[in-house]
């Protein structure tokens, strides 16, 4: 049980790290949304799920599982809202053929 | 003080009757909210339990209209949120969770790749659903699955940003619209891009 919890926590950290690297490396706002919306959702779910597992069955772990549920619901929603707002504001997505390097 | 405060929830039953049928639909919602209170509040004395029950009742009654009546997004079938085919979500959720795993691994791979093999595209995908909640579910599922984020939905047209060319193709040839169809028991018409 503790081994599984440890694996989950380490994997969660790994995904969050990948998300951060993605935000730094990807070419434009829309691509960064992918890194933020996906890696962070899974990373946080794994990390807090692992913590809940090492805690065992208690009120604290139930709260952690609630946090996981709310993060997995709200993170994709926020990702979509940000992307839509950027699109409405007229931010043109970067493309490989477009030539110019986005910020 | 605690003796009296635990009676306050029962006095709530007077407005309940006047609300009629609508408050009946709010009842399971109220229990759900009270369960949430029990998890979040560690204090088990009468004052705090009474406060929780009172709050749960009040919120359930005030928002009963939203839960019990058919929301505008359920039209034209007009099914209320409580009578949605929730049991089908049990089969859908593990598949979606697996897709989220794949999505994260794929984004992590692209990001950590030394040459950063991204080729972002904007795609327009057309899926016709007679059911607005099905459209909403499809849009959210696209956001969660490998390499694609839904940016906007205009009628039947989904504007999707894909991180790589492969992920865009996977969406166009994928099984997601079919899965959402079986989830809601509706038929998707005219799938294409």
């Amino acid at each position: 049980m503790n081994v599984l919890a440890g694996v989950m926590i380490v994997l969660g950290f790994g995904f969050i790290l990948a998300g951060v690297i993605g935000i730094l490396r990807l070419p434009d706002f829309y691509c960064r949304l992918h890194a933020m919306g996906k890696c962070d959702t899974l990373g946080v779910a794994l990390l807090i799920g692992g913590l809940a597992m090492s805690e065992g069955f208690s009120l604290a772990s139930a709260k952690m599982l609630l946090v996981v549920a709310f993060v997995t619901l709200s993170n994709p929603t926020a990702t979509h809202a940000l992307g839509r707002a950027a699109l409405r504001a007229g931010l043109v997505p970067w493309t490989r053929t477009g030539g110019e390097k986005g910020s | 003080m605690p003796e009296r405060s635990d009676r306050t929830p029962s006095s709530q039953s007077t407005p309940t009757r006047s609300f009629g049928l609508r408050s009946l639909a709010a009842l399971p919602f109220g229990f759900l909210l009270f369960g949430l209170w029990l998890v979040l509040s560690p204090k088990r004395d009468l004052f705090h339990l009474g406060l929780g029950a009172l709050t749960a009742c009040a919120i359930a009654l005030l928002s009963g209209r939203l839960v019990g009546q058919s929301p505008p997004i359920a039209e034209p079938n007009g099914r209320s949120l409580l009578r949605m085919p929730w049991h089908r979500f049990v089969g859908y959720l593990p598949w979606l969770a697996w897709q989220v795993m794949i999505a994260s691994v794929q984004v992590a791979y692209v990001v950590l790749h030394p040459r950063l093999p991204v080729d972002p595209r904007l795609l327009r995908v057309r899926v016709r659903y007679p059911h607005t909640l099905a459209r909403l579910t499809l849009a959210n599922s696209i956001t969660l699955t490998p390499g694609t984020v839904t940016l906007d939905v205009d009628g039947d047209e989904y504007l999707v940003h894909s991180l790589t060319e492969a992920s865009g193709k996977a969406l166009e040839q994928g099984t997601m619209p079919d899965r959402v169809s079986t989830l809601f028991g509706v038929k998707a018409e005219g799938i294409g891009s």
Side-chain angles (χ1 to χ4, degrees):
Chain A
M1 199 69 161
N2 266 330
V3 176
L4 187 61
V7 169
M8 278 174 76
I9 291 172
V10 170
L11 269 179
F13 268 126
F15 276 114
I16 293 174
L17 185 67
V20 170
I21 293 173
I23 287 174
L24 292 174
R25 284 194 75 195
L26 287 169
D28 82 334
F29 179 81
Y30 297 102
C31 295
R32 287 174 178 155
L33 276 182
H34 289 271
M36 193 197 76
K38 301 207 173 103
C39 289
D40 280 17
T41 310
L42 186 65
V44 169
L46 279 175
L47 180 62
I48 300 180
L51 286 175
M53 201 173 274
S54 72
E55 166 79 19
F57 187 78
S58 72
L59 204 62
S61 63
K63 283 181 196 174
M64 288 187 221
L65 290 182
L66 271 178
V67 169
V68 171
F70 286 130
V71 166
T72 43
L73 274 178
S74 62
N75 206 345
T77 314
T79 304
H80 163 74
L82 280 172
R84 189 161 182 258
L87 190 78
R88 298 226 154 171
L91 184 65
V92 179
W94 177 89
T95 52
R96 203 162 271 281
T97 49
E100 50 159 357
K101 193 101 176 160
S103 60
Chain B
M1 164 76 169
E3 291 254 341
R4 235 165 248 172
S5 62
D6 81 309
R7 289 213 176 90
T8 19
S10 58
S11 71
Q12 198 76 3
S13 62
T14 322
T16 306
R17 260 174 235 127
S18 63
F19 271 84
L21 248 175
R22 202 167 72 193
S23 56
L24 263 179
L27 199 66
F29 186 51
F31 276 117
L32 188 74
L33 285 175
F34 189 63
L36 187 66
W37 175 282
L38 287 182
V39 172
L40 292 179
S41 159
K43 289 184 179 151
R44 289 283 176 272
D45 54 285
L46 276 178
F47 174 68
H48 286 90
L49 287 182
L51 208 60
L54 188 70
T55 325
C57 285
I59 295 175
L61 282 177
L62 286 175
S63 58
R65 268 200 304 176
L66 297 175
V67 181
Q69 289 180 349
S70 61
I73 56 167
E75 277 171 348
N77 296 22
R79 281 197 271 183
S80 87
L81 276 182
L82 286 175
R83 283 183 288 128
M84 278 290 139
W86 291 112
H87 57 280
R88 294 209 184 115
F89 275 95
V90 178
Y92 185 69
L93 282 181
W95 177 78
L96 194 63
W98 177 240
Q99 293 290 308
V100 173
M101 288 289 278
I102 298 174
S104 303
V105 170
Q106 196 204 32
V107 172
Y109 166 76
V110 167
V111 156
L112 298 177
H113 195 284
R115 275 186 293 128
L116 202 65
V118 291
D119 189 8
R121 298 281 160 89
L122 271 184
L123 312 165
R124 284 178 193 280
V125 181
R126 266 183 178 282
V127 182
R128 197 181 183 81
Y129 277 125
H131 200 298
T132 322
L133 199 57
R135 292 213 293 249
L136 177 77
T137 306
L138 180 66
N140 280 338
S141 301
I142 288 174
T143 300
L144 281 172
T145 46
T148 48
V149 167
T150 312
L151 290 180
D152 208 351
V153 181
D154 184 18
D156 310 325
E157 214 172 60
Y158 295 73
L159 190 61
V160 177
H161 185 265
S162 72
L163 190 60
T164 59
E165 208 188 342
S167 56
K169 279 201 177 124
L171 173 66
E172 279 167 8
Q173 294 154 6
T175 57
M176 185 164 317
D178 296 335
R179 285 186 183 265
V180 177
S181 299
T182 44
L183 179 63
F184 286 98
V186 293
K187 234 184 138 180
E189 304 152 26
I191 302 163
S193 56

